[in-house]
């Protein structure tokens, strides 16, 4: 289908997340690149997805895997060139695939020219106003301006040294110290990002994923974080004006463009505020991503999501994982199947076989709920979290910033296995000079695209069939559902015309409701009993 035929495509798309460092490495330096992605585009169109979201591809010192951006209008040379990205966009469009770029407006790299000028110019540099420079507390100014805890753990301020060598002001960074926060109260910051937005939309990008979208504004009086009081940097009301102006820009293009928010907020109403008709088009459903493998909890998450989105006619999204969270197969194999940044601990026992069975059922659940669905690269291969990466090879700043307690996010970012029996599994060419930037487990020989292709029981073929059916069946995609009567521990819903999905999360087999055909099951179903941890799609 050509990309112009479905105007509000984001409402029911299947969106595949490519993590550029780990997708495919064409030049053999062990790091994924644009040329590698272009070689593997056929894989994505064959998988049947509608759009591809690319993690940040900008020049970056990689203090936070590219979320520390040094130039928002160029491409990291390790990944390739702007010309190659332009060709990628054209090729993807030719195959009916839409492209989503990742924009990081909350902060930049400490190597960004504005921040460099702010440091070099000393305390009076006008560029300091583009960031949050403040004197320290205490007689010598050696105490940070606030005691805020950053999103990666640890403090949020780093002290600078003046050009004359004396100790200077502190600057704010909600993430790593190499990621100074922009001051969004400054008109130049706003104008700059409107221009950057146009830069990418002008290049034919169909959507923009907005990183840390709820964090941009800060309370300039810098109060401490107090339970029950307004938070100094989460979800300030004024942030909505920024997205209203971005929406006007996006809507100014003839072809439909989508703004997609990364909004982590526990309050569903505060979350959907970002999706009002004149703001963002859609946002990731982290409520669903964080939910336990439990029928009552999932039903509550699904109902709460749909009800809240319906109030403003916004499309729901269904997300099982991304590059920040524990891989689904690992999470669902643990005793505690929820996700939270605070309780993410490696080495907790996990039953990968059980986790895989559940992840298969979860795939059929998330691909049949009303709205859009996201697939994080490797989810379709059933990859698990790599928990034994040697500490010396870990790259994620979360690891050192947590005092080496939180293992960080490297375990879900290991390069994809494509072919062959040994690392690099076709991720890099056979004659590559360098090993992949994170080591791949030897056991991934059974998880490669090649090994799974044509195996009717593989995760990959399950995803391929489910996405194909989702395209064929008019009942799937955006719309509504109604719940069917079901025993405790079972999710059963129907969608018109003539479709039902039943997921058994209880520990005993349950009868499958009367139906015409079984369209697809997450594992073999014998007769009319649905085994535990299994999902089935039915023609009614
Ligand atoms: O993640 C943002 C993010 O996960 C936090 O804002 C989240 O709210 C917090 O950790 C919860 O306590 C995005 C990217 O996805 C991530 O990879 C980057 O490291 C981060 O922004 C900084 O750019
Ligand atoms: Ca490379």
């Amino acid at each position: 289908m050509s990309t112009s035929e479905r105007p509000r495509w984001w409402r029911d798309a299947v969106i595949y997340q490519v993590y550029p460092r780990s997708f495919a490495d064409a030049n053999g330096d062990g790091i994924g690149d644009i040329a590698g992605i272009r070689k593997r585009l056929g894989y994505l169109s064959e998988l049947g997805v509608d759009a591809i979201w690319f993690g940040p591809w900008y020049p970056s010192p990689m203090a936070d895997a590219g979320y520390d951006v040094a130039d928002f209008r160029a491409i990291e040379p390790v990944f390739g060139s702007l010309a190659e990205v332009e060709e990628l966009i054209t090729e993807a469009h030719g195959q009916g695939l839409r492209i989503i770029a990742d924009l990081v407006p909350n902060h930049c790299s400490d190597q960004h020219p504005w921040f460099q000028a702010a440091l070099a110019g000393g305390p009076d540099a006008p560029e300091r106003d583009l960031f949050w420079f403040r004197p320290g507390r205490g007689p010598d100014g050696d105490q940070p301006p606030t005691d805020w805890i950053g999103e990666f753990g640890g403090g949020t301020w780093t002290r600078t040294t003046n050009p004359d060598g004396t100790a200077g002001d502190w600057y704010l960074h909600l993430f790593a110290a190499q990621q100074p926060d922009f001051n969004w109260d400054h008109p130049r910051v706003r104008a700059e990002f409107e221009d950057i937005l146009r830069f990418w939309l002008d290049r034919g990008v169909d959507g923009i994923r907005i990183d840390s979208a709820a964090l941009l504004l800060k309370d300039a009086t810098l109060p401490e974080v107090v339970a029950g009081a307004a938070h100094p940097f989460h979800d300030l009301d004024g942030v909505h004006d920024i997205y209203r102006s971005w929406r006007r820009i996006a809507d100014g293009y003839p072809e439909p463009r989508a703004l997609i928010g990364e909004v982590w907020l526990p309050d569903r109403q505060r979350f959907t505020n970002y999706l009002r008709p004149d703001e963002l088009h859609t946002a990731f459903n982290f409520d669903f991503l964080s939910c336990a493998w439990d029928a009552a909890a999932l039903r509550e998450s699904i109902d709460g999501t749909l009800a809240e989105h319906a109030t403003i006619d916004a499309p729901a999204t269904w997300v099982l994982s991304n590059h920040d969270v524990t891989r689904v197969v690992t999470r669902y194999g643990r005793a505690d199947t929820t996700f939270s940044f605070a309780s993410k601990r490696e080495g907790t026992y996990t039953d990968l076989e059980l986790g895989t069975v559940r992840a298969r059922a979860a795939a059929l659940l998330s691909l049949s709920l009303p709205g859009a669905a996201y697939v994080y690269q490797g989810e379709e291969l059933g990859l698990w979290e790599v928990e034994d990466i040697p500490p010396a090879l870990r790259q994620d700043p979360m690891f050192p910033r947590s005092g080496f307690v939180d293992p960080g996010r490297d375990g879900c970012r290991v390069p994809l296995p494509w072919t062959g029996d040994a690392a690099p599994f076709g991720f890099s060419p056979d004659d590559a000079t360098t090993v992949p930037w994170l080591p791949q487990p030897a056991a991934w020989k059974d998880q490669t695209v090649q090994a799974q292709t044509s195996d009717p029981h593989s995760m990959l073929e399950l995803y391929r069939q489910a996405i194909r059916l989702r395209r064929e069946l008019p009942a799937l995609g955006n719309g509504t559902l109604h719940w069917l009567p079901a025993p405790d521990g079972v999710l059963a819903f129907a969608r018109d015309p003539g479709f039902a999905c039943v997921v058994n999360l209880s520990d005993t087999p349950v009868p499958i409701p009367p139906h015409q055909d079984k369209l697809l099951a997450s594992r073999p179903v014998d007769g009319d009993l649905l085994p535990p941890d299994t999902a089935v799609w039915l023609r009614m």
Side-chain angles (χ1 to χ4, degrees):
M1 187 177 298
S2 104
T3 50
S4 59
E5 278 167 47
R6 291 167 50 215
R8 298 200 293 169
W9 57 274
W10 55 87
R11 294 178 77 91
D12 62 4
V14 177
I15 299 168
Y16 186 95
Q17 179 187 356
V18 164
Y19 192 74
R21 283 184 84 73
S22 300
F23 190 71
D25 164 30
N27 68 351
D29 64 356
I31 300 174
D33 45 48
I34 306 297
I37 293 166
R38 288 172 65 193
K39 287 205 172 115
R40 300 285 188 187
L41 264 189
Y43 169 74
L44 296 178
S45 63
E46 203 194 310
L47 182 58
V49 301
D50 302 289
I52 313 169
W53 150 33
F54 293 95
W57 48 27
Y58 315 104
S60 167
M62 301 286 163
D64 182 22
Y67 283 96
D68 48 322
V69 179
D71 179 352
F72 291 92
R73 296 180 185 80
I75 299 298
E76 162 63 38
V78 168
F79 294 156
S81 66
L82 186 57
E84 283 180 278
V85 164
E86 287 173 335
E87 286 175 39
L88 167 68
I89 295 172
T90 307
E91 286 163 6
H93 285 170
Q95 301 192 33
L97 294 164
R98 298 182 195 262
I99 296 289
I100 298 164
D102 204 324
L103 188 59
V104 191
N106 181 69
H107 45 264
C108 59
S109 161
D110 58 0
Q111 300 307 307
H112 188 282
W114 285 7
F115 192 73
Q116 286 294 312
L119 289 183
D124 297 324
E127 287 83 3
R128 292 208 168 188
D129 294 340
L130 304 171
F131 299 93
W132 291 92
F133 279 83
R134 288 289 182 279
R137 289 174 299 179
D140 304 317
D142 59 359
Q143 301 295 310
T146 69
D147 294 329
W148 298 349
I149 303 293
E151 303 292 309
F152 288 165
T156 60
W157 299 90
T158 292
R159 195 167 196 184
T160 60
T161 304
N162 290 321
D164 66 6
T166 57
D169 287 343
W170 300 65
Y171 68 90
L172 175 70
H173 50 86
L174 295 185
F175 294 92
Q178 298 91 333
Q179 294 167 292
D181 279 53
F182 284 117
N183 171 15
W184 273 87
D185 296 332
H186 200 295
R188 211 176 139 196
V189 171
R190 295 192 185 219
E192 173 74 354
F193 272 92
E194 293 187 359
D195 191 69
I196 293 165
L197 190 61
R198 287 195 185 89
F199 179 91
W200 290 104
L201 294 176
D202 286 348
R203 268 158 192 76
V205 155
D206 305 281
I208 300 281
R209 180 253 186 198
I210 303 161
D211 188 71
S212 301
L215 302 182
L216 271 47
L217 289 184
K218 280 86 191 175
D219 180 338
T221 67
L222 305 186
E224 288 302 335
V225 175
V226 178
H231 198 280
F233 55 85
H234 283 172
D235 189 34
L236 271 64
D237 287 331
V239 81
H240 295 283
D241 288 335
I242 299 168
Y243 300 128
R244 289 193 181 100
S245 78
W246 290 20
R247 178 64 176 254
R248 284 192 293 274
I249 293 172
D251 283 353
Y253 285 80
E255 289 280 318
R257 312 299 170 105
L259 301 173
I260 306 168
E262 192 217 11
V263 180
W264 285 88
L265 288 178
D267 182 317
R268 286 192 190 125
Q269 204 224 309
R270 301 286 308 183
F271 172 85
T272 39
N273 279 348
Y274 287 77
L275 305 179
R276 289 176 289 204
D278 59 347
E279 299 191 42
L280 306 182
H281 298 79
T282 156
F284 301 98
N285 188 345
F286 294 120
D287 188 88
F288 183 74
L289 176 151
S290 308
C291 189
W293 183 247
D294 172 90
L298 282 167
R299 180 158 171 172
E300 198 283 326
S301 177
I302 294 165
D303 279 338
T305 298
L306 292 175
E308 202 55 57
H309 284 67
T311 60
I312 45 168
D313 190 31
T317 68
W318 307 101
V319 190
L320 293 173
S321 77
N322 66 24
H323 65 294
D324 290 332
V325 308
T326 311
R327 284 225 180 246
V328 207
V329 161
T330 300
R331 174 161 67 91
Y332 285 157
R334 287 184 178 156
D336 178 355
T337 53
T338 60
F339 174 80
S340 90
F341 283 103
S343 65
K344 176 163 55 81
R345 292 291 174 266
E346 255 175 25
T348 314
Y349 174 75
T350 178
D351 176 342
L352 291 183
E353 211 174 304
L354 176 67
T356 302
V357 166
R358 290 175 170 173
R360 295 174 64 91
L364 294 197
L365 172 65
S366 64
L367 287 167
S368 60
L369 288 168
Y374 284 82
V375 179
Y376 171 49
Q377 68 174 45
E379 214 172 270
E380 83 283 16
L381 302 177
L383 300 187
W384 55 85
E385 187 83 4
V386 182
E387 301 197 273
D388 57 358
I389 300 172
L393 295 182
R394 291 185 188 264
Q395 314 266 332
D396 186 6
M398 269 189 169
F399 184 46
R401 289 192 68 83
S402 68
F404 304 97
V405 174
D406 184 329
R409 302 161 293 177
D410 294 314
C412 67
R413 300 173 174 181
V414 173
L416 289 192
W418 293 91
T419 55
D421 289 326
F425 299 114
F427 168 72
S428 300
D430 289 340
D431 58 356
T433 49
T434 318
V435 295
W437 70 285
L438 287 172
Q440 301 159 301
W444 279 6
K445 68 177 182 3
D446 300 323
Q447 311 299 125
T448 63
V449 171
Q450 188 181 44
Q452 295 196 44
T453 294
S454 318
D455 170 359
H457 303 298
S458 72
M459 185 73 92
L460 178 56
E461 292 299 348
L462 179 75
Y463 267 88
R464 284 179 174 154
Q465 287 184 66
I467 295 172
R468 184 174 49 75
L469 277 171
R470 185 184 154 101
R471 282 201 168 189
E472 284 169 16
L473 298 171
L476 296 188
N478 204 30
T480 54
L481 63 70
H482 58 271
W483 295 102
L484 300 172
D488 270 0
V490 177
L491 295 172
F493 57 89
R495 302 199 54 193
D496 292 332
F499 174 90
C501 172
V502 185
V503 193
N504 181 7
L505 296 97
S506 77
D507 48 19
T508 50
V510 296
I512 299 176
H515 57 274
Q516 220 175 69
D517 282 317
K518 291 187 190 71
L519 295 160
L520 185 61
S522 64
R523 59 173 165 168
V525 174
D526 227 4
D528 278 333
L529 281 182
L530 188 64
D533 293 315
T534 307
V536 64
W537 284 4
L538 303 170
R539 195 193 306 276
M540 302 302 271

